[in-house]
Amino acid sequence: MERVMGGGMLQLFLASTGILLLYRILVRLRPGAALQDAVVVITGASSGLGKECARAFHAAGARLVLCGRDAGRLQQVVQELTASSTGSQRQTYTPSTVIFNLADTDTVDRAADEILKCFGQVDVLINNAGISYRGNILDTHLSVQRDVMETNYFGPIALTQALLPSMVHRRSGHIVVISSVQGKMAIPYRSAYAASKHATQAYFDCLRAEIERYGIPVTVISPGYIRTSLSVNAVTGDGSKYGVLDKTTAMGRDPRDVAQAVLKAVRQRSKDVVLAGPMPNLAIYLRTLWPALFFKLMSSRARKEQKPKAE
């Protein structure tokens, strides 16, 4: 190469290449570099993990579109985020809000149009909204199974498919879905929830493969228990609220930590992220590598519980 380019040119080439490499590393490490000014849509943003994701992405300089069913609660989140921006050295933006019920898929196309009108594009879609379930299959109405599937599966895929054409047209975007470790292995008395999360995992795995050619990454994030009101708001077999904060939920991960993990996954364009401890990870591997043992353990767990209760 030196004979072709000459010693001076070679040194210049190496120096410029080194500077370029250093620059790229610094850009990747600089907090929020990839998300400054990005348009980030978050469903279920009025509480729990969705609200903490709103805090994390707002602090990173993203232009937020917060989605949920309760206009008052969403506006409260907007006010909190706006107040938190005082004195910030980073450019931040007042979030926009779009009110709709994700379980009512007939309204999703209208909501998608409203979302696109906020900033003209979507750079990151975070499908976070969801509902949990506690119940014995023998005592669970089929309508409850359908309702959980509407919120956890059909709603997110309807919104994704409504916004996807605009991403494909721009050949830019990022789709994220908050699934669960129960989308990778099922436990007793969670049939509706686990089924909806298994379906979610399968759909977004297919989507990832199909749209990779457009440069649009798909990230599935599967947390274990998080300290939110998910179990309190869970539905039971007759459709009523469970109303109990499970011990496992109360001892779960801090939603702020999970939100930071979501932020990191978006920055790194991760494909599949499991945010759980050693036991859930072991269970996932057992389900795949030693299913007979896994099924025996789950049967034993079901007999011990007999009926759903605060764990």
Side-chain angles (χ1 to χ4, degrees), residues 28-310:
R28 288 182 180 179
L29 292 179
R30 183 162 59 90
L35 291 168
Q36 182 66 55
D37 304 329
V39 178
V40 178
V41 178
I42 305 173
T43 65
S46 62
S47 64
L49 179 58
K51 183 176 180 179
E52 294 305 327
C53 283
R55 292 184 192 276
F57 282 86
H58 177 75
R63 294 178 287 173
L64 298 182
V65 182
L66 306 181
C67 304
R69 295 177 297 175
D70 191 319
R73 293 176 68 185
L74 280 180
Q75 194 55 43
Q76 184 177 357
V77 175
V78 171
Q79 292 172 358
E80 291 177 11
L81 294 179
T82 302
S84 71
S85 300
T86 304
S88 174
Q89 296 181 349
R90 184 182 298 282
Q91 172 68 52
T92 58
Y93 302 90
T94 300
S96 298
T97 60
V98 176
I99 315 302
F100 69 105
N101 184 357
L102 196 65
D104 184 1
T105 53
D106 291 336
T107 69
V108 171
D109 284 341
R110 173 195 59 77
D113 288 340
E114 287 188 37
I115 288 170
L116 287 171
K117 287 177 183 177
C118 290
F119 297 104
Q121 66 188 57
V122 173
D123 296 307
V124 182
L125 167 61
I126 301 179
N127 290 294
N128 165 75
I131 189 171
S132 193
Y133 156 90
R134 303 288 189 276
N136 187 318
I137 290 175
L138 288 173
D139 301 324
T140 299
H141 299 168
L142 185 59
S143 61
V144 172
Q145 302 277 4
R146 285 197 176 114
D147 288 344
V148 173
M149 192 67 76
E150 286 288 348
T151 298
N152 291 358
Y153 176 70
F154 285 109
I157 72 169
L159 183 59
T160 296
Q161 292 188 188
L163 293 173
L164 186 58
S166 67
M167 293 185 178
V168 171
H169 178 73
R170 296 172 53 236
R171 289 185 173 268
S172 178
H174 190 159
I175 295 171
V176 180
V177 60
I178 308 299
S179 183
S180 167
V181 292
Q182 292 182 50
K184 295 180 178 292
M185 56 92 181
I187 63 176
Y189 308 114
R190 306 290 191 274
S191 61
Y193 183 74
S196 68
K197 294 303 184 179
H198 271 70
T200 295
Q201 179 78 53
Y203 173 90
F204 285 94
D205 281 352
C206 292
L207 180 65
R208 181 188 301 110
E210 293 182 23
I211 65 174
E212 185 179 21
R213 73 191 74 175
Y214 303 113
I216 302 170
V218 174
T219 301
V220 178
I221 298 177
S222 302
Y225 293 106
I226 308 173
R227 290 202 306 269
T228 67
S229 57
L230 188 67
S231 71
V232 175
N233 294 324
V235 294
T236 63
D238 62 3
S240 61
K241 277 194 176 183
Y242 183 56
V244 176
L245 180 63
D246 288 340
K247 182 179 179 181
T248 47
T249 302
M251 297 176 63
R253 289 175 178 245
D254 189 320
R256 292 173 294 183
D257 294 338
V258 178
Q260 288 300 319
V262 174
L263 187 73
K264 179 180 178 181
V266 170
R267 283 178 170 152
Q268 296 183 345
R269 299 164 72 92
S270 303
K271 291 181 171 62
D272 197 79
V273 179
V274 177
L275 300 174
M279 292 306 293
N281 275 283
L282 176 60
I284 292 170
Y285 282 111
L286 280 179
R287 175 63 180 85
T288 303
L289 302 175
W290 199 351
L293 177 58
F294 175 82
F295 296 147
K296 186 174 182 179
L297 291 172
M298 291 301 104
S299 295
S300 175
R301 174 170 176 158
R303 285 194 296 270
K304 287 179 181 178
E305 292 187 15
Q306 292 298 313
K307 60 181 180 178
K309 60 183 179 179

Side-chain angles (χ1 to χ4, degrees), residues 19-29:
I19 292 172
L20 180 60
L21 179 60
L22 178 61
Y23 172 78
R24 287 176 176 171
I25 292 173
L26 290 174
V27 167
R28 288 182 180 179
L29 292 179

